[in-house]
């Protein structure tokens, strides 16, 4: 009879150095967040910095000044190293430069939040090809390329890590708005692809100690909606949401720290809805 006691201790909580809360710490880890000038991205980066990680904020080169100011604010508040790097995630050359910059500025990458994305206007059945292509380039190829440099760095440096991708409820179902599909057709297609890419990587990267998970936000008041939504539109969007409200960006922070940390060491290939219940319908 095999003895599995060493492999699977039944009562690890009895160990003097065991602490479940300690497993949520990101102290000593290095990570990057794409789309870090946006609402969800900058809130995630702040959460990782508060949990002790050094973080690179990555967004379009045109937003570098904004990123630098955010990086200074987070470094001051949390006492970790936060740096700003400009990168267009849809451009292979820019992503190759990002890989070099990450190694130069942080040393390595243990955790990565591949989150940059767009949802363009008039994204419905008559969407012009160039708009369709742009959505694919940023949301799907961008996730592919930035995820690839992250796990390449982890494998080249011979350590494990955690990848987290941003999918969407629109990647799981056709969002119903007042009896019609929401105008986000190519967006939905790319997010469905992001979910499957996440799962593929979970299977392929497990032998390297690298986990791959996705989050599926529902309606998050991230700043992108700005002043463009009327009270009536706000209520119409929420008809399919049991919570009947948007989430705040900070309500995603706990899940993003969990998935990055050792507290989720057996979690891979998942796609967690954080959607106020939208996907129950
Ligand atoms: P946001 O617009 O505030 O942030 C998106 C960020 O991505 C922006 O800062 C933008 O500059 C950046 N970006 C766009 N194209 C880029 C490119 N080519 N290279 C680098 N960066 C680029 O919106 P958000 O809500 O914070 O979105 C973050 C992610 O969450 C996106 O992938 C989005 O699809 C997803 N999402 C958002 C919601 C929501 O309700 N807000 C719901 C589901 C999924």
């Amino acid at each position: 009879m095999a003895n599995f006691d060493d492999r699977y201790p039944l009562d690890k909580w009895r160990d003097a150095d065991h602490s479940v809360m300690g497993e949520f710490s990101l102290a000593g880890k290095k990570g990057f967040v794409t789309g870090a000038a946006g609402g969800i991205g900058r809130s995630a980066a702040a959460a990782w910095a508060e949990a002790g990680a050094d973080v690179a904020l990555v967004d379009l080169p045109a937003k570098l000044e904004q990123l630098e100011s955010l990086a200074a604010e987070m470094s001051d508040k949390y006492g970790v190293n936060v740096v700003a790097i400009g990168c267009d995630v849809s451009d292979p050359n820019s992503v190759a430069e990002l890989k070099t910059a990450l190694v130069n500025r942080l040393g390595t990458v243990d955790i990565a939040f591949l989150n940059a994305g767009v949802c363009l206007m008039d994204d419905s059945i008559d969407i012009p090809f160039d708009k369709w292509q742009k959505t694919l380039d940023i949301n799907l190829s961008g996730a592919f390329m930035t995820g690839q440099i992250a796990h390449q760095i982890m494998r080249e440096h011979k350590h494990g890590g955690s990848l987290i991708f941003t999918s969407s409820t629109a990647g799981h179902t056709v969002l119903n708005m007042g009896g019609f599909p929401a105008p986000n057709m190519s967006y939905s297609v790319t997010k469905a692809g992001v979910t499957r890419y996440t799962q593929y990587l979970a299977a392929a990267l497990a032998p390297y100690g690298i986990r791959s998970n996705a989050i599926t936000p529902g309606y998050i008041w991230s700043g992108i909606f700005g002043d463009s939504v009327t009270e009536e539109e706000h209520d119409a969007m929420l008809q399919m949401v049991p919570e009947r409200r948007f989430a705040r960006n900070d309500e995603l922070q706990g899940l993003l720290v969990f998935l990055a940390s050792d507290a989720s060491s057996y979690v891979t290939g998942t796609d967690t809805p954080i959607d106020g219940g939208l996907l129950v319908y």
Side-chain angles (χ1 to χ4, degrees):
M1 195 77 124
N3 183 340
F4 291 100
D5 289 355
D6 287 346
R7 228 183 294 174
Y8 307 120
L10 291 178
D11 289 296
K12 191 119 178 76
W13 57 272
R14 288 198 168 113
D15 291 1
D17 61 353
H18 178 77
S19 154
V20 66
M21 294 315 288
E23 292 194 354
F24 285 86
S25 169
L26 300 180
K29 295 194 193 292
K30 323 265 186 196
F32 72 98
V33 173
T34 70
I40 292 175
R42 66 178 185 266
S43 186
W48 284 6
E50 182 186 342
D54 290 339
V55 187
L57 309 180
V58 179
D59 208 298
L60 287 167
K63 298 196 174 176
L64 194 54
E65 210 172 305
Q66 187 189 347
L67 287 183
E68 276 164 355
S69 151
L70 281 167
E73 187 182 352
M74 289 180 201
S75 294
D76 279 356
K77 185 164 163 67
Y78 301 116
V80 292
N81 184 25
V82 184
V83 301
I85 304 176
C87 170
D88 179 344
V89 302
S90 67
D91 173 358
N93 294 326
S94 188
V95 176
E97 285 168 18
L98 172 63
K99 184 180 178 192
T100 308
L102 286 167
V103 175
N104 288 343
R105 307 277 301 273
L106 293 180
T108 194
V109 166
D110 304 286
I111 54 181
F113 183 32
L114 303 318
N115 165 71
V118 289
C119 186
L120 303 176
M121 299 289 282
D122 304 322
D123 179 5
S124 198
I125 51 173
D126 290 318
I127 184 176
F129 179 74
D130 59 342
K131 222 176 241 193
W132 162 272
Q133 189 64 52
K134 185 172 178 185
T135 308
L136 264 66
D137 287 346
I138 297 172
N139 292 7
L140 192 53
S141 300
F144 157 66
M145 290 191 287
T146 52
Q148 188 176 57
I149 59 158
H151 68 72
Q152 282 173 346
I153 294 171
M154 292 168 189
R155 286 182 296 138
E156 283 159 15
H157 293 188
K158 302 200 184 316
H159 58 69
S162 175
L163 308 173
I164 307 164
F165 293 91
T166 304
S167 182
S168 168
T169 44
H172 295 261
T173 183
V174 177
L175 295 178
N176 177 344
M177 276 188 194
F180 294 95
N184 57 14
M185 188 183 68
S186 68
Y187 179 81
S188 305
V189 171
T190 59
K191 293 299 187 179
V194 166
T195 296
R196 187 51 48 89
Y197 178 51
T198 301
Q199 292 169 327
Y200 186 94
L201 291 185
L205 296 172
Y208 301 96
I210 301 169
R211 298 182 292 108
S212 169
N213 292 288
I215 63 163
T216 266
Y219 292 116
I220 316 297
W221 199 266
S222 63
I224 45 171
F225 300 101
D227 297 329
S228 62
V229 176
T230 65
E231 199 66 40
E232 291 72 34
E233 287 164 344
H234 170 271
D235 293 352
M237 289 168 87
L238 298 178
Q239 267 176 11
M240 303 296 285
V241 180
E243 286 272 343
R244 291 283 188 272
R245 65 178 182 90
F246 281 68
R248 303 180 313 269
N249 295 312
D250 62 277
E251 292 181 276
L252 279 63
Q253 288 186 312
L255 178 60
L256 289 162
V257 169
F258 170 68
L259 289 173
S261 74
D262 296 344
S264 61
S265 53
Y266 200 53
V267 180
T268 194
T270 68
D271 184 353
T272 306
I274 184 153
D275 66 350
L278 190 155
L279 286 181
V280 300
Y281 292 118

